[in-house]
Amino acid sequence: STTRSSERPTTLPQIPPVVTTLSPLLRADTEFIGEINEHEKTAFLGGAEALLFPIDWPEPFGLVMIEAMACGTPVLAFDCGSVREVVDHGVTGHIVSSVDEALATLPQTLALNRAQVRDGAAILTFLMPVFVDLMMDDPGKDWGKPFYPVVA
């Protein structure tokens, strides 16, 4: 939709195909929101039943997953990018490879213990800086195949 000609045009958020596909499994009052600001994020993520993370590119970190887990919200994520390094499958969320697998796994994701999800995120947010510091202290060491960007 657009506003008066003197105002900046606005567009409604497009609903990703994966959300449309999963929508029959969601409650009738579920609504696609789109982007939210930093002030709304904690309450929004903490009030969500789960975070759907249908990533299809090799994102190196996936901060939004950690933010959701820190609020106790389990993550249902597609197996791409840093997902395997962030999500503890069956504890903080589930990792899937297809929309069909996401549909089949959604009930188990919704049943995860939110306190355990929050604890898993706390451990991850504590350990990540430790790992980065260790690697930066010895940048010449062979740390194996990197999963995150390396600053040279």
Side-chain angles (χ1 to χ4, degrees):
S1 70
T2 57
T3 57
R4 285 180 266 136
S5 60
S6 63
E7 296 177 12
R8 194 174 104 209
T10 59
T11 58
L12 296 174
Q14 286 194 319
I15 299 175
V18 69
V19 173
T20 304
T21 304
L22 290 174
S23 64
L25 290 178
L26 303 175
R27 294 189 332 225
D29 63 345
T30 301
E31 176 184 357
F32 179 72
I33 303 296
E35 292 185 34
I36 57 175
N37 67 40
E38 289 297 318
H39 301 290
E40 301 167 314
K41 192 182 299 184
T42 302
F44 185 81
L45 290 174
E49 291 182 37
L51 172 74
L52 175 61
F53 195 69
I55 192 147
D56 65 356
W57 67 284
E59 181 179 12
F61 190 66
L63 182 60
V64 70
M65 293 183 289
I66 294 172
E67 290 173 326
M69 293 184 311
C71 295
T73 302
V75 174
L76 179 57
F78 283 47
D79 191 5
C80 193
S82 63
V83 168
R84 287 194 175 273
E85 287 77 36
V86 174
V87 176
D88 185 355
H89 186 77
V91 177
T92 61
H94 288 100
I95 302 168
V96 297
S97 299
S98 68
V99 171
D100 289 338
E101 191 178 358
L103 291 168
T105 307
L106 182 59
Q108 291 91 2
T109 303
L110 296 175
L112 289 173
N113 181 311
R114 293 177 76 93
Q116 285 181 328
V117 172
R118 196 172 8 266
D119 290 347
I123 291 168
L124 183 62
T125 57
F126 171 78
L127 289 178
M128 191 57 62
V130 173
F131 291 138
V132 170
D133 285 345
L134 285 171
M135 294 177 84
M136 295 306 290
D137 286 346
D138 193 359
K141 183 174 180 175
D142 181 6
W143 292 98
K145 181 180 176 188
F147 292 100
Y148 299 97
V150 176
V151 178

